[in-house]
Amino acid sequence: MSDEPFEIIGADRQSPWLIACDHATNRVPPCVGGGTLGLSDEEMSRHIAWDVGAAGVTRGLAEHLGSPAILSRFSRLVIDPNRGEDDPTLIMRVYDRTIVPGNRHIDETERERRLNAFYRPYHAAYAELAARRRDTLVVAVHSFTPQLRGRQVRPWHVGVLFDPRDERLSRPFIDRLYGEGDLVVGENEPYAGHLPGDAIDRHGLIPGRPNVLIELRHDLIDTAEKQARWAARLAPLLEGARTGAGL
């Protein structure tokens, strides 16, 4: 297995789409705590460590849209590529009521090491892929847990996160999701918008690229069959949004 902190699929594909999966895996590389953050396999299988099912949907979308894709190869608990470098949640010590032993006493030296080993190479590769065309459209694929501990059940099937500064792609995509007729759609749900310095901010908003972040409830994409079905469903909606908006 490659030691690269990212995987790129279809780098030579010519589509204007770029699909990204920031939380593709729950893998802890050997150079971090010998491959463990001190959590059980059960805890590492939870959403706190990765976005369940998102990688499979990403691969499927890239295939349907004829586009490249980039996927992380390190757990979000190692370091979160969907946060700015100065974000206090960049390396989580506690997540959804779970203490992360391997992060509990992390110091500035280890933080910088993880930035250089994982975070910065991932974003450098992402930036290179995004810059391959002037008309790149960025799609980020994420998943969310149906319920955080002690919180209300989340009703949405799919959420779309966007910044009001640029709704060129997100708004027509949302309209097409509503048009499906059988989906509970969340606009900036289950989270609100984007954070300064996050992946869409860096590779979409700041460079001026049309962008959309898709959040799928992870019980809907927890098998390969479900992931393939959602990829096949979302791809024509994205393409319809692009062409309808003249992008």
Side-chain angles (χ1 to χ4, degrees):
M1 182 179 285
S2 169
D3 289 332
E4 293 282 6
F6 54 85
E7 176 186 2
I8 292 176
I9 299 168
D12 58 348
R13 292 174 181 169
Q14 298 305 306
S15 165
W17 295 101
L18 171 59
I19 318 299
C21 190
D22 301 324
H23 303 145
T25 179
N26 59 0
R27 174 177 179 261
V28 179
C31 66
V32 177
T36 178
L37 291 169
L39 293 173
S40 67
D41 290 345
E42 180 181 6
E43 290 283 14
M44 288 300 296
S45 70
R46 296 178 59 223
H47 70 98
I48 63 172
W50 61 325
D51 280 357
V52 177
V57 176
T58 296
R59 296 176 193 278
L61 277 176
E63 184 69 27
H64 284 291
L65 294 171
S67 71
I70 183 167
L71 301 90
S72 68
R73 294 192 63 250
F74 53 92
S75 170
R76 67 194 299 170
L77 292 180
V78 171
I79 192 166
D80 193 334
N82 196 36
R83 296 291 186 272
E85 289 197 19
D86 59 351
D87 193 303
T89 66
L90 181 69
I91 299 177
M92 295 289 281
R93 292 172 169 83
V94 181
Y95 196 169
D96 195 15
R97 303 188 179 183
T98 293
I99 295 171
V100 184
N103 293 344
R104 191 172 184 181
H105 302 296
I106 191 169
D107 60 18
E108 185 60 31
T109 298
E110 176 61 10
R111 178 184 179 278
E112 189 68 14
R113 190 185 74 81
R114 293 189 196 181
L115 279 166
N116 288 328
F118 307 111
Y119 181 102
R120 288 168 180 152
Y122 174 79
H123 281 293
Y126 196 151
E128 185 175 350
L129 277 176
R132 80 198 190 288
R133 299 176 56 127
R134 289 198 290 182
D135 59 349
T136 295
L137 303 95
V138 178
V139 179
V141 179
H142 291 256
S143 70
F144 63 94
T145 183
Q147 185 177 20
L148 292 169
R149 288 176 171 172
R151 306 289 287 276
Q152 292 184 335
V153 173
R154 291 162 161 173
W156 308 283
H157 299 113
V158 57
V160 179
L161 307 194
F162 58 92
D163 188 300
R165 290 175 294 173
D166 187 354
E167 299 183 32
R168 287 175 294 170
L169 181 58
S170 57
R171 179 52 53 189
F173 177 62
I174 289 169
D175 291 343
R176 281 161 176 77
L177 287 172
Y178 284 133
E180 293 287 280
D182 63 340
L183 297 176
V184 180
V185 180
E187 298 189 31
N188 278 331
E189 297 286 1
Y191 323 106
H194 298 294
L195 298 170
D198 71 9
I200 284 290
D201 192 47
R202 292 177 64 141
H203 304 291
L205 291 167
I206 291 173
R209 298 183 182 108
N211 61 85
V212 64
L213 190 154
I214 302 170
E215 288 270 5
L216 294 164
R217 206 177 68 209
H218 78 219
D219 60 310
L220 303 177
I221 54 169
D222 57 4
T223 68
E225 181 181 1
K226 292 177 184 178
Q227 293 156 22
R229 189 160 60 242
W230 271 95
R233 184 175 191 176
L234 293 175
L237 301 181
L238 285 165
E239 188 59 27
R242 181 184 75 85
T243 57
L247 298 172

